[in-house]
Amino acid sequence: EAGVTQSPTHLIKTRGQQATLRCSPISGHTSVYWYQQALGLGLQFLLWYDEGEERNRGNFPPRFSGRQFPNYSSELNVNALELEDSALYLCASSLYGSTEAFFGQGTRLTVV
Amino acid sequence: GQNIDQPTEMTATEGAIVQINCTYQTSGFNGLFWYQQHAGEAPTFLSYNVLDGLEEKGRFSSFLSRSKGYSYLLLKELQMKDSASYLCAVRDSSGYNKLIFGAGTRLAVHP
């Protein structure tokens, strides 16, 4: 069974550009979580989608947005990139309200 | 509010036992998780506690006290490969069961 897959693995953008990160959850999982992990720091909750709807968002500015598609895959968009947006972006999926979330390998975004 | 606290760093010797503590304050509680994350890799699930007490899984055990907002992860017979960050996470039932992570504890195992 395929795990959570994220693409691209690495992404380099310049300040002011937009970045789009993608996540495919485990088959059957309807919930997708996005986290930001800056170098040496913990996971900061970004967004949570379930059944195509945004259920909750963390304390991030509106330029961080996303969506979930009918097949439960998800996109994270970051507009007007800033240098401090450089981080590992992790996606996790789970069954709604389930006990465990499974993580993808992440997308390392570098803003120069 | 939501707050999860863990020590930033710990060191231990190969073969020893180490206990990593986690305290939490969340509006709601629907389970506590421990994840292991090696540098540059995705977190992997270690354990889950929703009721008070000790859950044992091989060399790893996790304890929960809901009344104290406290958990610990116990690692026995430490191996070099256990050098990693250990993340405590709480599912907050007041936030549609959102999973909130602590900053993680970086464990270094020395020979």
Side-chain angles (χ1 to χ4, degrees):
Chain A
E1 180 183 321
V4 179
T5 57
Q6 292 186 244
S7 63
T9 308
H10 293 84
L11 189 58
I12 300 175
K13 293 284 187 177
T14 57
R15 197 167 49 181
Q17 283 189 313
Q18 180 202 34
T20 298
L21 288 64
R22 298 179 177 83
C23 172
S24 293
I26 290 173
S27 177
H29 285 187
T30 60
S31 280
V32 171
Y33 302 83
W34 286 97
Y35 291 88
Q36 181 196 65
Q37 187 176 34
L39 192 63
L41 299 180
L43 276 69
Q44 301 297 315
F45 171 72
L46 267 166
L47 289 160
W48 172 25
Y49 292 96
D50 184 76
E51 295 285 0
E53 293 188 11
E54 183 181 298
R55 298 290 184 176
N56 214 327
R57 67 176 290 130
N59 190 24
F60 280 84
R63 58 190 186 82
F64 286 83
S65 65
R67 54 180 172 167
Q68 187 178 35
F69 299 98
N71 66 354
Y72 304 120
S73 66
S74 177
E75 266 183 10
L76 174 69
N77 295 293
V78 188
N79 294 321
L81 283 166
E82 300 178 1
L83 296 178
E84 53 264 35
D85 296 333
S86 295
L88 179 68
Y89 288 84
L90 289 164
C91 167
S93 79
S94 76
L95 295 169
Y96 180 79
S98 148
T99 59
E100 184 178 348
F102 297 84
F103 283 85
Q105 292 299 311
T107 293
R108 184 160 298 284
L109 172 64
T110 302
V111 182
V112 297
Chain B
Q2 302 162 338
N3 196 42
I4 299 177
D5 288 318
Q6 309 177 231
T8 304
E9 291 185 354
M10 298 182 71
T11 59
T13 305
E14 194 175 14
I17 299 173
V18 71
Q19 177 175 312
I20 303 174
N21 296 324
C22 171
T23 57
Y24 64 89
Q25 289 178 306
T26 54
S27 302
F29 179 83
N30 195 18
L32 186 142
F33 303 76
W34 285 96
Y35 282 82
Q36 180 192 59
Q37 186 180 25
H38 285 100
E41 298 182 10
T44 55
F45 171 80
L46 286 178
S47 69
Y48 168 72
N49 295 71
V50 68
L51 300 176
D52 291 349
L54 188 68
E55 294 282 339
E56 296 187 78
K57 190 185 292 187
R59 293 190 299 115
F60 294 1
S61 303
S62 57
F63 171 83
L64 174 67
S65 169
R66 288 172 295 170
S67 62
K68 296 181 180 178
Y70 167 71
S71 172
Y72 67 73
L73 180 69
L74 193 70
L75 291 76
K76 305 175 188 175
E77 301 169 15
L78 280 172
Q79 302 175 9
M80 298 297 289
K81 66 178 182 180
D82 297 329
S83 294
S85 287
Y86 291 85
L87 311 176
C88 174
V90 172
R91 195 177 287 280
D92 185 350
S93 57
S94 72
Y96 294 96
N97 284 318
K98 182 173 66 177
L99 196 58
I100 305 163
F101 282 82
T105 298
R106 197 173 304 117
L107 174 66
V109 180
H110 299 291

